[in-house]
Amino acid sequence: MDTGILYQTDAWVIALLLFVLMLISSFIGKVAGNHIRKKNPEEEKTTETSSLIALLFFLLAFTFSMSGDRYDSRRKIVVDESNIIGTAILRSDLYPDSTRALFRKDFKDYVETRISYYQVGPDTKGILKADSLSQVISAKLWKRATHLSKDPANLAATQQMIPALNDLIDVTTSRLSGEKAKVPESILVMLFFLSMIIAFYSGYSEGLKGKIDWLVQIGFCLLVSLVILFTLDLDRPRRGFVNLDVPNQTIIGLRKNFE
């Protein structure tokens, strides 16, 4: 799991820090622009920043889209996992009652481990522990199914259960891999520095003109910070405003199969 500094820091803290740093960069740029203007008051000076701002917003849109796509993929995997587990539970009914009871007991434990897998939140140790426990139970289910497959009487049940268990094992790997896949920190760091550099040049350009509209500057810094805030939030579904609570209700709902 990702344990980088950016990931462990709350998204709102990062966005707030960026907002403050952009304002400071704008102020430093204004001071530098004023100094140059006063040093050569008769020389007309202009600095074009629109191309830099366009580049920044293009990169912000690209990064936001990347986070959004990965969030949608994670949400889909959770729903797919719920459907796969539900299918495997139903297929245990194909076995005799004694065998069915053993399968259902293990499936009940498995569902609880998958529920706890999400409920542990951003706790890395808890995530890995729940994932390891679910692998132990799925291995137990697989071993029982393969053992029963040697009995011709269980041929029909085996043909249904083995593919379901195979999908069940695969989807847990896909879900864990999906959570590990995040926007690279190098891209986020580049965005932070680019935002501060553009804020500096924006303040510098206004300083050369001898005036600065702080309302516009604050609005620009706030807009950039908010986009990065939601970009980070989409990329970390275990914490923040945008999470996977709703799709995970589909897995919690599997408990009704054992009532």
Side-chain angles (χ1 to χ4, degrees), residues 118-169:
Y118 182 72
Q119 290 180 337
V120 293
D123 179 14
T124 302
K125 291 184 179 179
I127 293 170
L128 296 178
K129 180 180 179 181
D131 185 69
S132 297
L133 184 57
S134 64
Q135 289 182 26
V136 170
I137 298 174
S138 62
K140 184 178 179 181
L141 287 164
W142 180 264
K143 183 177 180 179
R144 178 181 297 115
T146 54
H147 177 72
L148 291 170
S149 68
K150 299 174 183 178
D151 186 351
N154 296 316
L155 179 60
T158 297
Q159 289 177 337
Q160 297 297 317
M161 181 59 80
I162 293 294
L165 290 179
N166 188 58
D167 291 340
L168 181 144
I169 294 170

Side-chain angles (χ1 to χ4, degrees), residues 161-200:
M161 181 59 80
I162 293 294
L165 290 179
N166 188 58
D167 291 340
L168 181 144
I169 294 170
D170 289 345
V171 76
T172 57
T173 303
S174 298
R175 185 172 177 182
L176 184 62
S177 298
E179 291 195 22
K180 290 180 179 179
K182 300 182 181 298
V183 175
E185 287 193 356
S186 57
I187 293 180
L188 295 174
V189 171
M190 179 198 66
L191 282 176
F192 298 157
F193 279 106
L194 184 60
S195 299
M196 289 185 288
I197 290 170
I198 293 175
F200 170 84

Side-chain angles (χ1 to χ4, degrees), residues 187-236:
I187 293 180
L188 295 174
V189 171
M190 179 198 66
L191 282 176
F192 298 157
F193 279 106
L194 184 60
S195 299
M196 289 185 288
I197 290 170
I198 293 175
F200 170 84
Y201 276 110
S202 180
Y204 178 76
S205 177
E206 296 295 314
L208 288 177
K209 299 174 184 178
K211 60 180 181 179
I212 183 169
D213 190 338
W214 280 109
L215 183 62
V216 173
Q217 286 296 113
I218 292 173
F220 169 71
C221 297
L222 181 61
L223 179 61
V224 172
S225 300
L226 284 175
V227 172
I228 289 182
L229 168 63
F230 284 100
T231 298
L232 291 171
D233 211 50
L234 280 170
D235 208 36
R236 42 179 78 176

Side-chain angles (χ1 to χ4, degrees), residues 5-22 192 224-226 228-230 232-233 236 239-241:
I5 296 176
L6 280 179
Y7 179 77
Q8 294 191 358
T9 305
D10 289 336
W12 70 267
V13 174
I14 297 173
L16 180 61
L17 179 61
L18 177 63
F19 176 69
V20 172
L21 290 175
M22 288 183 70
F192 298 157
V224 172
S225 300
L226 284 175
I228 289 182
L229 168 63
F230 284 100
L232 291 171
D233 211 50
R236 42 179 78 176
R239 57 199 301 176
F241 310 109

Side-chain angles (χ1 to χ4, degrees), residues 73-142:
S73 296
R74 296 184 189 110
R75 179 174 55 81
K76 183 178 183 299
I77 288 176
V78 174
V79 177
D80 288 344
E81 180 180 16
S82 175
N83 291 332
I84 289 170
I85 295 173
T87 298
I89 293 172
L90 291 176
R91 290 182 180 181
S92 64
D93 294 339
L94 298 172
Y95 290 94
D97 289 343
S98 58
T99 304
R100 173 180 177 273
L102 294 176
F103 268 114
R104 290 182 63 84
K105 178 180 180 301
D106 289 339
F107 275 125
K108 183 178 181 180
D109 293 338
Y110 185 81
V111 168
E112 293 301 324
T113 61
R114 299 312 293 171
I115 293 174
S116 65
Y117 174 81
Y118 182 72
Q119 290 180 337
V120 293
D123 179 14
T124 302
K125 291 184 179 179
I127 293 170
L128 296 178
K129 180 180 179 181
D131 185 69
S132 297
L133 184 57
S134 64
Q135 289 182 26
V136 170
I137 298 174
S138 62
K140 184 178 179 181
L141 287 164
W142 180 264

